[in-house]
Amino acid sequence: MPGTPGERQESLDVIQRELTAFARRARAAAARLHPELPLVSYTLLAHIDDRHGCRATDLAAHYMLDKSTVSRQIGALEKLGLVERHPDPNDHRIQVLHPTEAGTQALASTQASRRSAYQERLADWTADDLAGFAEYLLRYNAAGDTSTTSPQTPKA
Amino acid sequence: MPGTPGERQESLDVIQRELTAFARRARAAAARLHPELPLVSYTLLAHIDDRHGCRATDLAAHYMLDKSTVSRQIGALEKLGLVERHPDPNDHRIQVLHPTEAGTQALASTQASRRSAYQERLADWTADDLAGFAEYLLRYNAAGDTSTTSPQTPKA
DNA sequence: GGATTTCAGTTGTATAGTACAACGAGTTAG
DNA sequence: CTAACTCGTTGTACTATACAACTGAAATCC
């Protein structure tokens, strides 16, 4: 069993190094994979679709982005005809975001190509390993959500 | 048991989503953690240090960056007094890059603070889980290295 | 009910990181 | 010597981002 502190530190260093390496390549890789729908827009659109309508503020909170960033991203998506903004009848400050038909389609095709890229890349992994990796990533990201990481000290 | 194809696909989707989420947060998180030494500069500096001197072209190839990008990054590092450029006596086109004393120190302190950030974030993980996560990340990144174009030594 | 405060979103401005293209200087091949 | 190639820089442009200032709408407070 890995019980020595040294092994623990070694694992931490590997995790740090490999996550850094991944982060560095991720954007370039995503850009090459989908020149049509940039990484960030894709992510936001996916979230909007997932929630079947949400507010810009939700997106900003979830992705730890400034509201101005989200505003511009949404503007771009709207200009591309991929999302629609509907004012909330109960609260006129709020814009409820929905994917358009084109947005849903763009998302589906992007997800399909991403999916197949991941499938290919992880083709020789066992189902157990995939499940384990997925669980670790979930745990890792969840830790980030709750901890001190925030761009503008918004957390109350 | 995770034997059904559906579960496999589910894990793949989780991996895709969580890695994407991580990629989106990574830069901002790094920027917050080290306002002094931006992520990319840090990475390049680490590589220069690791190799004990290398060329800008090597960095561009290794990190899949445009040479202009590397040129500017190196320029910034030089302006900060963290790297030095020495002309290669045998080939005057080439600049051999070396970390300065300050560069080595900055790197060490950045690495230390990164390390402690990871330690804190993963404090409640068991050593087994850390080892497992590290192994998965290694495997994942190794797959990416081979699938992408340039033949490079995968990990430092 | 009106003043103040808070919330949602936009816009101006600035910065990092990146790519592509055009170029300059050095090196090598014919 | 000339041509082709290589290494690096610079001009330009674009994406993603943050922060600050602002508008408009809702909530709170007295």
Side-chain angles (χ1 to χ4, degrees):
Chain A
M1 300 294 124
T4 63
E7 285 180 9
R8 187 184 172 85
Q9 185 61 60
E10 204 176 305
S11 297
L12 279 167
D13 287 344
V14 171
I15 289 166
Q16 171 186 332
R17 171 163 50 77
E18 295 303 313
L19 280 177
T20 303
F22 172 78
R24 244 202 25 260
R25 300 186 189 128
R27 183 185 303 209
R32 280 175 204 127
L33 203 55
H34 324 284
E36 299 303 306
L37 189 57
L39 172 66
V40 175
S41 303
Y42 160 77
T43 310
L44 295 186
L45 183 55
H47 193 83
I48 293 169
D49 186 60
D50 201 50
R51 300 298 169 92
H52 287 287
C54 70
R55 303 174 303 168
T57 300
D58 298 337
L59 294 172
H62 186 75
Y63 291 116
M64 299 191 287
L65 295 171
D66 191 78
K67 53 188 178 157
S68 66
T69 301
V70 173
S71 175
R72 288 181 230 268
Q73 292 288 335
I74 298 302
L77 284 172
E78 190 186 35
K79 192 175 288 177
L80 290 169
L82 303 178
V83 298
E84 288 170 344
R85 314 191 220 200
H86 303 295
D88 185 317
N90 301 331
D91 187 339
H92 284 209
R93 294 172 301 184
I94 294 173
Q95 295 180 347
V96 183
L97 305 170
H98 285 283
T100 62
E101 185 60 34
T104 307
Q105 285 181 8
L107 195 53
S109 103
T110 303
Q111 270 170 342
S113 82
R114 287 178 68 82
R115 221 185 212 210
S116 73
Y118 274 89
Q119 254 165 351
E120 185 185 337
R121 180 170 196 162
L122 300 173
D124 59 348
W125 288 47
T126 69
D128 276 341
D129 282 345
L130 289 178
F133 190 32
E135 196 232 308
Y136 285 147
L137 286 171
L138 277 171
R139 238 212 281 177
Y140 180 83
N141 279 342
D145 284 341
T146 59
S147 94
T148 59
T149 50
S150 63
Q152 61 216 354
T153 42
K155 272 301 212 22
Chain B
M1 357 248 38
T4 62
E7 286 179 9
R8 186 183 174 86
Q9 185 60 62
E10 205 176 305
S11 297
L12 279 167
D13 287 345
V14 171
I15 290 166
Q16 172 187 329
R17 173 162 48 80
E18 296 302 314
L19 280 177
T20 303
F22 171 78
R24 301 208 15 9
R25 298 186 186 135
R27 183 196 298 212
R32 255 172 272 131
L33 204 55
H34 323 286
E36 299 304 308
L37 190 56
L39 171 66
V40 175
S41 303
Y42 161 77
T43 311
L44 295 185
L45 182 56
H47 192 82
I48 293 168
D49 186 60
D50 201 52
R51 299 298 169 95
H52 287 286
C54 69
R55 302 174 304 167
T57 300
D58 298 336
L59 294 171
H62 187 74
Y63 292 117
M64 299 190 282
L65 295 170
D66 192 79
K67 54 189 177 156
S68 65
T69 300
V70 173
S71 175
R72 288 180 229 268
Q73 292 288 334
I74 298 302
L77 284 172
E78 190 187 34
K79 192 175 290 179
L80 291 170
L82 303 178
V83 299
E84 290 171 343
R85 314 192 221 199
H86 303 293
D88 185 319
N90 300 332
D91 187 339
H92 283 210
R93 295 171 301 183
I94 294 173
Q95 296 179 344
V96 183
L97 304 169
H98 284 282
T100 62
E101 185 60 32
T104 307
Q105 284 181 8
L107 197 53
S109 104
T110 302
Q111 273 168 340
S113 82
R114 288 178 67 80
R115 217 185 216 211
S116 73
Y118 275 89
Q119 256 165 348
E120 185 185 338
R121 179 170 195 162
L122 300 172
D124 60 347
W125 287 47
T126 69
D128 276 342
D129 282 345
L130 289 177
F133 191 31
E135 195 232 307
Y136 286 146
L137 285 170
L138 276 171
R139 240 212 279 177
Y140 179 83
N141 278 341
D145 284 342
T146 56
S147 83
T148 45
T149 47
S150 54
Q152 64 202 4
T153 37
K155 21 177 215 113

